[in-house]
Amino acid sequence: MGRDDMRPREGAGHDRAVPPTLAECFTQGWAETVQAAPVLPGAAYAAKRRALLSARFPGERIVIPAGGLKVRSNDFDHVFRPHSAYLHLTAEEGASAVPDSVLVLEPTGTGHEATVFTRPRSPRDGGPNGTEFYRDRRHGEFWVGRRRTLAETADALDLTVLPRDDLARALAPRVPIRVVRGQDPVVDEAAPPATEAESELLTFLAELRMVKDDWEIEQMRAAVGHTVAAFHDVAGELPTATRLARGERWIEGTFDRRARLEGNGLGFETIAAAGAHACVLHWMRNDGPVRDGELLLLDAGVEADTCYTGDVTRTLPVGGRFTDVQRQVYDLVYAAQTAGIAALRPGARFGDFHDAATRVIAEGLDAWGLRPGGAGPHDRSLYGRYTVCGTGHMLGLDCHDCADARSSAYLDGVLEPGHVLTVEPGLYFQPDDLTVPAQLRGIGVRIEDDFLVTADGAVCLSSALPRAADDVEAWVSAAR
């Protein structure tokens, strides 16, 4: 990039004024480029969600910011990804989302009027913001690409859309207000802190996402389908990964390439954990080797263009065959997952699948003679030393979706048709754990699939990936 690109951001005090002749040159000679913006397929569903939000908080202004850019280093920002509540209530797509946009539901006599305040396309008229399109490194069209015009955004979202510059004025009249705080300084300034009101809003927004509608289920199927395709890509790249000093990075890059090709990107940072790294639940350094004879634990998800994500884990024998001890561990985790899957049904407690899976693991480890509490009466909860975390979670716009929901609606609630969740038991024998035999140390296994709860059971969205040990071996061997 050129030296001019290296100058500090606007406002840092180091930018030079544009010579008048050059500024004048930029004000003329541009063709009209109005673009058609069909209504987004999810817009009608988003309108129904806004109606539910309106009914829950009558007479109150509700403000949902998309959030803004976050600095990665100096004058480079992280890729923008809107707040999940904003996405859910607008059906905006990730690549088209504009930083600093804000959804406002203004109370009326009969409900709420919804308006999105956002940045318009960079003007080229020489007015107050007339240099933005070629001077503003964060928002200018020449730097980050074309935004939709306000009219195009209104067409796409099927909403009233006004300039971001009007936001502060729109928030000025004092009416009862609830905001998603910490995402936008203008919004935060307009509303005095109200911990209970804001907590109630976040809880409702989370619980609104728990039961997926038909459009959301389509997005989940797409995200998981892309995720499955990326796992197949990885299986074919295992031989290459074994020849590299940081083969985990090759695995990571292989998956990430598919994520960018098919969707908006990653739903979360890829976990490519080979050998003893598989015992680290969120191993994301991905800087180790991938060796024949060891296992590779890959936990990853593709985020669709609409920002719904998959979340799948497979533990693969790098050379195509499990050793006897690896298969012993794998088969126990497989049996635990199978028991957890069998517990998925509408009306079942959310915790039932976890209890079913952990019971199998505890009984299996007990049969192996592994008793972390020593001899005598044994508390099976001590097996948490080898399992560490829970056995699944809700899935949607966030990998760990609906986290602000009440325990009574989520962890202590019951499953309903339209819930999408993971089942992912695992066993992790740390390389320095003296409570297990030496041959088990450094082995980590997790198997994770994504499920849609239906009226009569559950459907595995990731069923196109092999799961049983024999099938996994055949898959990896065939892909080599």
Side-chain angles (χ1 to χ4, degrees), residues 371-378:
R371 299 174 68 84
H378 187 55

PDB file of all heavy atoms in Angstrom, residues 371-378:
ATOM      1  N   ARG A 371     -11.061 -43.786  38.966  1.00  0.00           N
ATOM      2  CA  ARG A 371     -11.839 -43.204  40.055  1.00  0.00           C
ATOM      3  C   ARG A 371     -11.043 -42.034  40.609  1.00  0.00           C
ATOM      4  O   ARG A 371     -10.200 -42.211  41.503  1.00  0.00           O
ATOM      5  CB  ARG A 371     -12.107 -44.256  41.129  1.00  0.00           C
ATOM      6  CG  ARG A 371     -12.906 -45.443  40.593  1.00  0.00           C
ATOM      7  CD  ARG A 371     -13.028 -46.548  41.647  1.00  0.00           C
ATOM      8  NE  ARG A 371     -13.862 -46.159  42.761  1.00  0.00           N
ATOM      9  CZ  ARG A 371     -15.191 -46.257  42.782  1.00  0.00           C
ATOM     10  NH1 ARG A 371     -15.829 -46.723  41.722  1.00  0.00           N
ATOM     11  NH2 ARG A 371     -15.882 -45.884  43.838  1.00  0.00           N
ATOM     12  N   PRO A 372     -11.282 -40.834  40.062  1.00  0.00           N
ATOM     13  CA  PRO A 372     -10.465 -39.683  40.470  1.00  0.00           C
ATOM     14  C   PRO A 372     -10.576 -39.342  41.940  1.00  0.00           C
ATOM     15  O   PRO A 372      -9.710 -38.667  42.491  1.00  0.00           O
ATOM     16  CB  PRO A 372     -10.991 -38.546  39.595  1.00  0.00           C
ATOM     17  CG  PRO A 372     -12.315 -38.996  39.088  1.00  0.00           C
ATOM     18  CD  PRO A 372     -12.245 -40.480  39.010  1.00  0.00           C
ATOM     19  N   GLY A 373     -11.620 -39.825  42.617  1.00  0.00           N
ATOM     20  CA  GLY A 373     -11.753 -39.556  44.046  1.00  0.00           C
ATOM     21  C   GLY A 373     -11.128 -40.623  44.909  1.00  0.00           C
ATOM     22  O   GLY A 373     -11.220 -40.572  46.132  1.00  0.00           O
ATOM     23  N   GLY A 374     -10.495 -41.644  44.285  1.00  0.00           N
ATOM     24  CA  GLY A 374      -9.907 -42.723  45.050  1.00  0.00           C
ATOM     25  C   GLY A 374     -10.905 -43.840  45.288  1.00  0.00           C
ATOM     26  O   GLY A 374     -11.992 -43.888  44.710  1.00  0.00           O
ATOM     27  N   ALA A 375     -10.551 -44.771  46.140  1.00  0.00           N
ATOM     28  CA  ALA A 375     -11.416 -45.923  46.416  1.00  0.00           C
ATOM     29  C   ALA A 375     -12.566 -45.520  47.336  1.00  0.00           C
ATOM     30  O   ALA A 375     -12.591 -44.441  47.895  1.00  0.00           O
ATOM     31  CB  ALA A 375     -10.585 -47.031  47.055  1.00  0.00           C
ATOM     32  N   GLY A 376     -13.543 -46.414  47.474  1.00  0.00           N
ATOM     33  CA  GLY A 376     -14.664 -46.155  48.357  1.00  0.00           C
ATOM     34  C   GLY A 376     -15.830 -45.538  47.623  1.00  0.00           C
ATOM     35  O   GLY A 376     -15.846 -45.453  46.388  1.00  0.00           O
ATOM     36  N   PRO A 377     -16.878 -45.086  48.372  1.00  0.00           N
ATOM     37  CA  PRO A 377     -18.055 -44.456  47.745  1.00  0.00           C
ATOM     38  C   PRO A 377     -17.612 -43.333  46.813  1.00  0.00           C
ATOM     39  O   PRO A 377     -16.760 -42.508  47.181  1.00  0.00           O
ATOM     40  CB  PRO A 377     -18.854 -43.940  48.938  1.00  0.00           C
ATOM     41  CG  PRO A 377     -18.426 -44.794  50.073  1.00  0.00           C
ATOM     42  CD  PRO A 377     -16.971 -45.110  49.827  1.00  0.00           C
ATOM     43  N   HIS A 378     -18.183 -43.319  45.649  1.00  0.00           N
ATOM     44  CA  HIS A 378     -17.649 -42.419  44.625  1.00  0.00           C
ATOM     45  C   HIS A 378     -18.700 -41.419  44.153  1.00  0.00           C
ATOM     46  O   HIS A 378     -19.837 -41.787  43.865  1.00  0.00           O
ATOM     47  CB  HIS A 378     -17.139 -43.229  43.442  1.00  0.00           C
ATOM     48  CG  HIS A 378     -16.419 -42.397  42.430  1.00  0.00           C
ATOM     49  ND1 HIS A 378     -15.346 -41.604  42.765  1.00  0.00           N
ATOM     50  CD2 HIS A 378     -16.623 -42.220  41.117  1.00  0.00           C
ATOM     51  CE1 HIS A 378     -14.924 -40.980  41.681  1.00  0.00           C
ATOM     52  NE2 HIS A 378     -15.681 -41.330  40.664  1.00  0.00           N
TER      53      HIS A 378
END
